Amino acid sequence: IDNIDIDELSAIAEKVILKNTLFVVMSKSGSTIEVLSQLHFFWKHFPSGENYIAITEPESKLYKYATENQFIKIFECPKNIGGRFASLSYLGIVPAALMNIDINKIIHNTIKTKDAYSANFEDAAPSSLGKYIANAIKEDFNHIVIIIPRNLLFFAKWIEQMIAESLGKNGIGITPVICCDLNRAENLQNKSIIINYLNTIQETFNCPVLNMKLDNILDIGQQIYMWQVAIAYSGQLLDINAFDQPDVEKVKIHPNTITKVNPNKNDYSLELEFIQDAKKESSCLHLLSFGKKDNQYQSILAKQKEILESLLLIPVNIHYAPRYLHSVGQLHKGGKTGDHFIFIDNITINNTNIPNSNFSFSDISAAQLSNDAEYLKKISKKVAITNMENLKQTIEKYTKSI
């Protein structure tokens, strides 16, 4: 569950049959406000420690809560592994085991791969991939287009975070664009490099292409390890610390600072001129959505993205809060990417406080939207805040204008 919309959380709670349910509460730091708020919400409905496990660092806020409430198991994460580099720790392995995935095979294959890389790193896959990305950034490419099958979208979102959050800092970086459609990818070649997980497609493109393979899902561990090493190596070649996220930390909200914010307050309204300006000046347009994101809403927003992309002839990326704040948000604030950001307010206002808190879920969302928009404006990015209806109307105006 990566949403903090009260309606969606309530719908999930209504379906829970406690005797058949295990709550897996994951926060490496143990202080992630969204995770702790979700925990307090579900604990109010289902206060039974024998139905909960926690995955977190020792002595964290979550660790202490789990201990006090007698969770059946606490898996301790090592403090020296950063969140996005922790996929092969308990944070990835425990959920995989609960899904009946053969984790022994995954780990065994990964260790074999690790040993092979160590024996001859210069000729190994992470070395080639790390150089490929670092050279693209040095040569001022704007985008890294990840072409991938739809059944691997979960993996693509992690790759996106690895690239954006690890390398998008110090004013440099490259914008990941996830593509499941070859036709779309062909239209995004300008100043792009490509990572391709589909069939070999070299002849289709006029930009650099690196073909990759993931034929067997049990090889996912090898792929994760390869990407982790490659991104660390890219950071080394670029003289960047790939393991921190300084600009993400700058806009994280603290429970003590959340106030009752009107999520419909609109200081930066979306006008036709904003779209026109993005066409002239931006290498990428970012759509940042806050609040409810059911299937129907996501389908409507995806359609608007397609229209914008066909009109502007630049990548248009959709990112949903709160997830993006913990991943590509680093690139937005500290790296090199498109300067135009449209915030879409789809927050359901709810005045019921989260248990153990003096704020609601909508207060968190509104504070996050406000914080992120204000920070981007402060560093001279172009910011608009709107809702879905106004977004559609503005796109229609722009279509008629051309």
Side-chain angles (χ1 to χ4, degrees):
I1 304 173
D2 66 349
N3 200 354
I4 50 172
D5 177 74
I6 186 63
D7 291 342
E8 294 191 28
L9 293 175
S10 297
I12 293 168
E14 287 176 8
K15 295 177 183 176
V16 168
I17 301 171
L18 189 58
K19 67 178 182 178
N20 298 333
T21 303
L22 178 69
F23 294 90
V24 183
V25 189
M26 300 197 300
S27 167
K28 187 177 177 301
S29 68
S31 58
T32 310
I33 189 169
E34 298 93 342
V35 175
L36 292 181
S37 297
Q38 290 170 340
L39 169 59
H40 294 319
F41 171 83
F42 283 106
W43 186 262
K44 179 184 177 182
H45 293 280
F46 312 105
S48 168
E50 63 184 21
N51 292 84
Y52 289 77
I53 64 173
I55 309 174
T56 187
E57 289 179 357
E59 304 309 313
S60 69
K61 189 179 290 187
L62 173 55
Y63 184 98
K64 292 173 183 174
Y65 188 94
T67 303
E68 290 167 4
N69 290 283
Q70 299 181 315
F71 284 19
I72 53 173
K73 180 70 177 176
I74 303 173
F75 293 90
E76 297 184 14
C77 296
K79 289 189 175 182
N80 64 335
I81 306 177
R84 61 189 173 277
F85 286 89
S87 302
L88 294 173
S89 72
Y90 285 134
L91 289 161
I93 293 301
V94 172
L98 292 169
M99 294 166 67
N100 290 322
I101 292 171
D102 188 345
I103 58 173
N104 288 325
K105 188 164 186 178
I106 288 176
I107 294 299
H108 177 72
N109 291 347
T110 305
I111 291 171
K112 280 173 61 179
T113 300
K114 172 181 177 290
D115 293 342
Y117 293 163
S118 300
N120 187 8
F121 180 72
E122 277 304 310
D123 295 328
S127 175
S128 301
L129 178 57
K131 290 174 186 173
Y132 181 66
I133 296 171
N135 289 339
I137 292 173
K138 288 177 180 178
E139 292 169 20
D140 207 31
F141 281 84
N142 288 332
H143 316 115
I144 178 166
V145 180
I146 304 160
I147 306 175
I148 202 158
R150 290 194 182 278
N151 67 322
L152 292 178
L153 269 177
F154 71 95
F155 179 50
K157 296 301 290 184
W158 175 79
I159 294 173
E160 175 186 63
Q161 179 180 1
M162 287 295 294
I163 296 169
E165 195 169 33
S166 302
L167 304 178
K169 57 196 73 164
N170 301 347
I172 68 171
I174 191 164
T175 302
V177 181
I178 298 171
C179 256
C180 300
D181 180 353
L182 271 181
N183 291 330
R184 179 187 176 220
E186 286 181 34
N187 294 329
L188 301 176
Q189 295 184 63
N190 185 38
K191 297 207 76 175
S192 296
I193 65 168
I194 287 175
I195 299 283
N196 171 47
Y197 276 93
L198 295 178
N199 296 328
T200 302
I201 54 165
Q202 195 83 41
E203 66 281 358
T204 311
F205 291 89
N206 299 315
C207 63
V209 175
L210 184 62
N211 292 308
M212 311 283 271
K213 277 190 175 182
L214 180 53
D215 296 327
N216 185 340
I217 198 63
L218 291 178
D219 293 334
I220 191 77
Q222 295 161 275
Q223 284 282 317
I224 288 170
Y225 185 76
M226 177 194 69
W227 273 98
Q228 289 175 339
V229 176
I231 292 298
Y233 186 44
S234 291
Q236 185 180 25
L237 294 172
L238 295 164
D239 197 26
I240 283 176
N241 180 358
F243 302 99
D244 68 357
Q245 49 283 332
D247 297 282
V248 169
E249 304 299 335
K250 288 176 184 175
V251 296
K252 274 189 178 176
I253 59 173
H254 190 276
N256 295 338
T257 65
I258 297 176
T259 55
K260 297 288 181 181
V261 180
N262 177 6
N264 293 316
K265 183 181 179 183
N266 195 335
D267 294 327
Y268 310 118
S269 59
L270 177 64
E271 305 292 345
L272 176 61
E273 291 74 20
F274 187 95
I275 306 291
Q276 293 170 331
D277 192 51
K279 167 73 172 173
K280 291 177 189 174
E281 296 184 11
S282 201
S283 62
C284 179
L285 175 63
H286 306 275
L287 304 179
L288 309 177
S289 182
F290 285 72
K292 189 187 293 290
K293 54 175 184 178
D294 57 31
N295 291 338
Q296 182 182 11
Y297 175 83
Q298 291 189 45
S299 177
I300 294 170
L301 185 53
K303 182 62 178 175
Q304 300 311 304
K305 182 197 84 166
E306 287 177 20
I307 297 170
L308 279 169
E309 208 161 66
S310 67
L311 295 170
L312 303 180
L313 303 179
I314 58 174
V316 178
N317 274 344
I318 297 174
H319 292 296
Y320 289 97
R323 177 196 291 171
Y324 89 82
L325 294 165
H326 300 272
S327 59
V328 297
Q330 169 61 44
L331 174 69
H332 296 169
K333 291 176 271 290
K336 173 180 168 283
T337 186
D339 287 339
H340 288 68
F341 297 82
I342 299 177
F343 287 78
I344 305 164
D345 182 349
N346 197 39
I347 300 168
T348 303
I349 300 174
N350 177 264
N351 294 319
T352 304
N353 286 346
I354 300 161
N356 302 335
S357 305
N358 59 358
F359 49 82
S360 68
F361 283 109
S362 60
D363 292 327
I364 297 176
S365 293
Q368 289 176 329
L369 190 159
S370 176
N371 272 18
D372 208 41
E374 291 294 338
Y375 187 86
L376 288 170
K377 192 73 176 174
K378 180 181 171 184
I379 59 174
S380 302
K381 302 291 186 181
K382 308 291 177 61
V383 172
I385 303 176
T386 189
N387 55 44
M388 180 63 80
E389 195 55 40
N390 184 249
L391 176 66
K392 289 162 69 175
Q393 290 171 1
T394 307
I395 294 170
E396 286 173 9
K397 284 181 188 175
Y398 179 74
T399 304
K400 289 176 183 176
S401 76
I402 61 170

